[in-house]
Amino acid sequence: MKRVLSILWMAAALAVAPSAALAQQQGVTADTVTIGAFGPITGPAAYIGLAGRDGMNLAIKEINAAGGIHGRKIVAVFEDDAHSPTRALAAVKKLVEQDKVFAIMSVGGSNATVGAVDYVKEKGVVMYVSIASAPPVTWPFAKNLFRGGTTETARYGELYAEYLAGNAKNKRIAIMHGREEYPRNEGDATIAKLKSWFDIAPVARVEFNINDKDFTSQLIEVQKSNPDVIAFFGNPAEAAIAMRQARELGIKQPFFVGSNMVDPSLVTAARTHAEGVTGFSLIPYLPGSTAAEIKTWETNWRKEYPNAPAGRPNNFDLLAYGDMHVLAEGMRRAGKNLTTESLIKGLEGIKDYRIGPVATPRTFATNHHIGNLTLVPMTVKGGQWEPVPWQSKRESDILGRYK
């Protein structure tokens, strides 16, 4: 009799073991997975966070409609970081400690995201970063941090330098950049690769503040340097003003812009002053493209957000949309017993995955978590961004440090 009872007790213990393990994983229940997300929906970078939030939520709706993750529906809790590192840290602390989320998705800019990196590393929760390119997200390597559609700032520097000095043969390059995290990093990375790959130093380097409305003093300094091209790293609203003021000052040299400005909103704001501007895109098609795939996607997006303001959807809608599907794919590959460790393993098994032609492929590995090293060069022609038939011929230096 004792033997029978012992066997029955062991069987009961084994039967409840999966449920007990499940209960121990924060943010995961039998029928839901709760994730946290943060980005700026107020402040000067709200155009990033509002789009990131909406693109992410559209993907979640599609994922849940298709059955969720092994029968679990995704629930998202979103916090506003106002493009502030301190606000981002407070938002992530709330998501982890109060909302008890399973994983976190950042759809904000570098300036805010860096404020949460150290805390996330300490807590060990998975954070998937869709938009911020700040180096600390992926270097030094941390097994619980992943970078999706955007790429590491150093890669921007490689591609920008190769295109400007190698392809366009520019020798005299002036650089204008904002003082905040992202544009400053873009400027630093571009200057570093211009020097190490082409032995070129910028003929001028000037800075400005976010939301500045007058760039006259910086442009006069640039004008004195007589550049072949002006590389501008900041936000679309700032670039549009600088381009107009440049023409008013008689500056005729072309502008090259950072990837966050390769977006229809720049053309809308700068109008004819944007003609001939070049830059690199993180997505194969921009909103407004005549490609059938993007037209179908935009139709679905507008059904979900019929009252969206002008300029939407933008690139960040697409980036976060694609990356939410990648995060969901990682959760699927993690299996029914969804844990932090199984999610990391699931994401690290992703190779050349994308939800469709509207996104670039993502690949992760056990030794690096930079999902995308591919950017598409584009130029404004006839008021529209069009792809430039160019491909990098240089091998990236970035992955070598992860070996």
Side-chain angles (χ1 to χ4, degrees):
M1 183 66 179
K2 288 183 179 180
R3 176 177 172 80
V4 172
L5 289 173
S6 178
I7 291 171
L8 289 173
W9 181 88
M10 289 176 65
L14 288 170
V16 301
S19 298
L22 183 65
Q24 292 170 5
Q25 179 57 63
Q26 176 169 299
V28 179
T29 70
D31 51 14
T32 62
V33 180
T34 301
I35 66 168
F38 68 99
I41 56 174
T42 59
Y47 71 98
I48 297 175
L50 289 168
R53 180 196 65 185
D54 292 349
M56 178 193 74
N57 282 336
L58 177 60
I60 290 173
K61 184 174 182 179
E62 292 177 355
I63 294 160
N64 287 342
I69 308 298
H70 298 295
R72 299 185 180 104
K73 298 298 177 70
I74 298 174
V75 177
V77 181
F78 194 93
E79 292 292 327
D80 178 18
D81 68 30
H83 203 49
S84 158
T86 55
R87 287 280 298 271
L89 176 58
V92 172
K93 281 186 174 182
K94 175 183 177 294
L95 291 169
V96 172
E97 297 174 15
Q98 295 182 35
D99 299 310
K100 306 292 185 183
V101 300
F102 168 60
I104 296 169
M105 188 164 175
S106 164
V107 295
S110 294
N111 196 60
T113 301
V114 293
V117 166
D118 287 342
Y119 174 81
V120 171
K121 286 181 179 179
E122 176 191 335
K123 292 297 180 181
V125 64
V126 170
M127 182 163 79
Y128 188 108
V129 176
S130 177
I131 294 167
S133 62
V137 171
T138 42
W139 184 258
F141 176 77
K143 73 172 190 174
N144 61 315
L145 269 68
F146 291 78
R147 191 193 304 281
T150 189
T151 191
E152 195 165 312
T153 308
R155 182 59 176 159
Y156 290 136
E158 290 179 342
L159 291 171
Y160 295 175
E162 184 182 0
Y163 186 85
L164 288 168
N167 177 68
K169 308 298 183 186
N170 294 300
K171 300 294 184 184
R172 301 180 61 81
I173 300 168
I175 293 181
M176 302 178 65
H177 66 79
R179 291 187 175 93
E180 61 173 319
E181 183 81 18
Y182 171 70
R184 186 182 69 248
N185 288 341
E186 274 192 309
D188 289 344
T190 304
I191 290 169
K193 281 307 172 188
L194 284 171
K195 179 62 178 175
S196 64
W197 281 5
F198 300 98
D199 197 26
I200 291 176
V203 293
R205 179 179 186 175
V206 296
E207 298 182 343
F208 54 86
N209 295 317
I210 191 169
N211 269 350
D212 273 356
K213 300 294 190 292
D214 187 359
F215 300 88
T216 303
S217 61
Q218 292 96 330
L219 287 167
I220 289 173
E221 188 172 340
V222 166
Q223 188 176 37
K224 289 177 181 177
S225 72
N226 190 30
D228 298 324
V229 64
I230 303 166
F232 189 99
F233 307 125
N235 291 307
E238 298 152 3
I241 296 170
M243 289 172 188
R244 173 178 57 79
Q245 292 177 343
R247 303 311 178 226
E248 291 170 353
L249 290 168
I251 299 173
K252 298 180 180 179
Q253 286 90 336
F255 274 77
F256 176 93
V257 297
S259 66
N260 67 313
M261 289 179 280
V262 181
D263 185 272
S265 64
L266 176 64
V267 180
T268 300
R271 300 182 181 178
T272 58
H273 301 300
E275 196 70 14
V277 170
T278 56
F280 279 81
S281 172
L282 291 162
I283 48 180
Y285 301 110
L286 299 184
S289 167
T290 57
E293 296 88 352
I294 195 68
K295 290 177 78 172
T296 299
W297 181 86
E298 282 198 57
T299 297
N300 294 335
W301 187 95
R302 293 188 188 284
K303 285 180 181 177
E304 190 67 17
Y305 306 110
N307 300 314
R312 297 281 309 284
N314 63 27
N315 292 6
F316 303 110
D317 285 278
L318 275 164
L319 278 172
Y321 170 83
D323 278 322
M324 185 61 238
H325 275 288
V326 177
L327 180 58
E329 179 64 15
M331 287 192 270
R332 288 190 196 96
R333 295 182 184 214
K336 291 185 177 180
N337 184 24
L338 187 56
T339 66
T340 295
E341 288 301 320
S342 67
L343 174 57
I344 291 171
K345 185 176 180 180
L347 286 168
E348 288 180 341
I350 287 176
K351 181 176 175 59
D352 292 331
Y353 174 84
R354 60 177 177 166
I355 187 58
V358 298
T360 50
R362 307 286 188 270
T363 296
F364 300 107
T366 56
N367 65 325
H368 83 83
H369 291 166
I370 305 172
N372 179 28
L373 292 172
T374 304
L375 283 80
V376 181
M378 293 194 174
T379 189
V380 178
K381 187 181 292 185
Q384 297 288 332
W385 286 102
E386 295 187 4
V388 175
W390 176 86
Q391 287 187 331
S392 172
K393 296 179 175 63
R394 283 180 171 265
E395 185 177 351
S396 173
D397 293 339
I398 295 172
L399 298 185
R401 68 188 181 190
Y402 292 92
K403 293 179 180 178

